[in-house]
Amino acid sequence: MYCLGIESTADGFGIGIATFEGEILANVVSEYVPERGGIHPREAAQHHSKVVGSVLKEAFERARIRPKDLKAVAFSQGPGLGPCLRTGATAARALAVYLGVPLIGVNHCVAHIEIAKLVTKSQDPVTLYVSGGNTIVAAYEAGRYRAFGETLDIAVGNCLDSFAIEAGLRRQGGLPLGAIVERLAEKGETLIELPYSVKGMDVSFSGLLTAVVQLLRSSHYRLEDLCYSLQETAFSMLAEVTERALAHTEKPEVLLTGGVAANKRLQSMLKAVADEHGAKFCVVPKQYAMDNGAMIAWTGVLAYECGMITPVEKSFVKPKWRLDEVDVRWLGVR
Ligand code: AMP
Ligand code: MG
């Protein structure tokens, strides 16, 4: 039995195919890369509609299955950029209705956690989910993933990307902007003091971004030192709230997921937090860190098995759908 998943919350359009046993047969992603600046939602959506056909075809070829072998079609219903979400939802509805199989609306944040749990075999972690659009410390409690802490303004990936754009950095050879900042940070020598903003269990990155951009414009600092200091400050904030969530929940694992999880410095800081508390550290592999269709397909399987089907007439997108609004009925079921 197979489930196909469509991901289209932001700049990536992805289609994945998973078996009901948790094997990922295909995970094809086509990314929209703006000529300059950040993501323009309408342009990203146009990119997605252009590539739906070719990505779909490639996913079926990789998985070596036929459309009629599908048992369900899942899609990212939110949170994300409205025009992008609608493009993916439209494709998913068309496919599900044509094939006569159930449609499953998946929460993108839950999917980042579920794919990471599947591939790292973690069971009950405190998760730090860090990406271009989200920054959340979450753990399962009483039927839902609860947000123990989150950003009060921009996501950490957005903070790194915005700084990179200000510094005139460009994506090279498929490398995301955050990875380019990471490379420069490795050559940093001096830690420059920047605003460190933890408020209770929440974090804030907009003041940090403004401050580091001001220092950049002053031309008094090496770019490598600014990248290094930005990473050290932002990641220390994340490590602090993750550690507090871990101490409070006493969960056995720390799980790092989302696009920024690819960052080696963040990985080493979180591993230190986990080690300190005798917890196991797990990190999602790169191909499942960035937004991808496989995570939607797999979460679709979990939801399907609990009868969590989305009627077509209720399949409108939810750009602000929170992770803690989802009943994760499959936990404890499997
Ligand atoms: P996602 O929204 O989950 O697709 O993740 C995309 C975000 O991850 C973007 O903000 C990227 O710049 C960021 N990212 C990807 N690789 C790295 C890295 N090695 N270090 C920091 N950020 C990264
Ligand atoms: Mg994401």
Side-chain angles (χ1 to χ4, degrees):
M1 299 220 290
Y2 310 102
C3 178
L4 178 142
I6 300 183
E7 158 58 36
S8 71
T9 52
D11 51 347
F13 181 82
I15 296 188
I17 297 176
T19 69
F20 274 51
E21 288 71 43
E23 199 186 336
I24 305 300
L25 302 182
N27 190 26
V28 184
V29 182
S30 168
E31 260 189 276
Y32 153 76
V33 182
E35 298 223 338
R36 74 176 84 82
I39 309 171
H40 188 299
R42 201 178 55 235
E43 282 175 14
Q46 277 164 0
H47 160 270
H48 298 349
S49 48
K50 272 193 208 128
V51 301
V52 174
S54 57
V55 174
L56 197 55
K57 189 161 175 281
E58 193 178 335
F60 280 118
E61 281 167 7
R62 293 249 177 113
R64 295 171 177 273
I65 66 160
R66 291 160 304 178
K68 66 178 171 57
D69 298 328
L70 293 177
K71 197 83 187 159
V73 174
F75 70 104
S76 259
Q77 199 172 1
L81 305 172
C84 301
L85 286 168
R86 279 190 286 277
T87 306
T90 304
R93 281 183 210 113
L95 195 59
V97 171
Y98 175 71
L99 295 170
V101 298
L103 182 67
I104 301 160
V106 165
N107 180 289
H108 175 90
C109 309
V110 169
H112 270 291
I113 298 178
E114 292 302 346
I115 192 77
K117 282 171 65 184
L118 174 75
V119 295
T120 65
K121 299 191 167 56
S122 61
Q123 305 267 325
D124 186 21
V126 163
T127 303
L128 175 62
Y129 161 40
V130 274
S131 70
N134 296 284
T135 300
I136 304 173
V137 177
Y140 179 79
E141 187 67 55
R144 292 186 178 188
Y145 287 117
R146 309 286 169 176
F148 279 78
E150 60 196 311
T151 180
L152 296 172
D153 40 56
I154 57 172
V156 64
N158 186 231
C159 178
L160 298 173
D161 294 351
S162 302
F163 175 73
I165 290 168
E166 275 290 331
L169 300 173
R170 314 251 337 179
R171 295 186 57 164
Q172 313 144 355
L175 271 189
L177 289 172
I180 296 169
V181 171
E182 177 179 24
R183 284 196 176 176
L184 288 165
E186 282 161 12
K187 300 193 195 98
E189 288 158 4
T190 309
L191 185 66
I192 303 157
E193 198 174 325
L194 291 169
Y196 181 98
S197 189
V198 172
K199 301 176 185 186
M201 285 296 284
D202 293 327
V203 289
S204 155
F205 293 109
S206 63
L208 171 61
L209 176 61
T210 305
V212 73
V213 165
Q214 271 170 359
L215 297 186
L216 173 77
R217 289 182 183 160
S218 76
S219 307
H220 291 324
Y221 300 90
R222 286 174 71 229
L223 181 57
E224 291 85 348
D225 289 338
L226 290 173
C227 290
Y228 168 64
S229 308
L230 174 61
Q231 279 200 176
E232 292 302 299
T233 310
F235 296 168
S236 301
M237 287 158 51
L238 295 170
E240 181 187 330
V241 290
T242 307
E243 177 162 31
R244 221 170 307 133
L246 186 63
H248 176 77
T249 59
E250 296 184 337
K251 296 278 186 188
E253 298 144 336
V254 173
L255 177 63
L256 181 57
T257 192
V260 187
N263 189 290
K264 294 274 182 279
R265 179 62 182 136
L266 179 59
Q267 290 176 11
S268 81
M269 281 195 194
L270 277 209
K271 182 170 185 315
V273 165
D275 288 350
E276 185 82 15
H277 291 262
K280 187 175 158 215
F281 175 64
C282 307
V283 58
V284 74
K286 228 177 189 164
Q287 72 266 39
Y288 302 119
M290 300 275 284
D291 292 344
N292 63 87
M295 67 185 194
I296 305 301
W298 172 238
T299 310
V301 169
L302 296 171
Y304 178 93
E305 288 191 323
C306 301
M308 294 172 72
I309 307 293
T310 309
V312 173
E313 61 279 13
K314 290 193 178 150
S315 65
F316 46 83
V317 301
K318 304 178 189 177
K320 298 209 177 293
W321 195 13
R322 285 181 59 87
L323 150 110
D324 48 16
E325 286 167 0
V326 182
D327 287 320
V328 285
R329 282 188 231 149
W330 52 86
L331 288 182
V333 170
R334 283 177 77 85

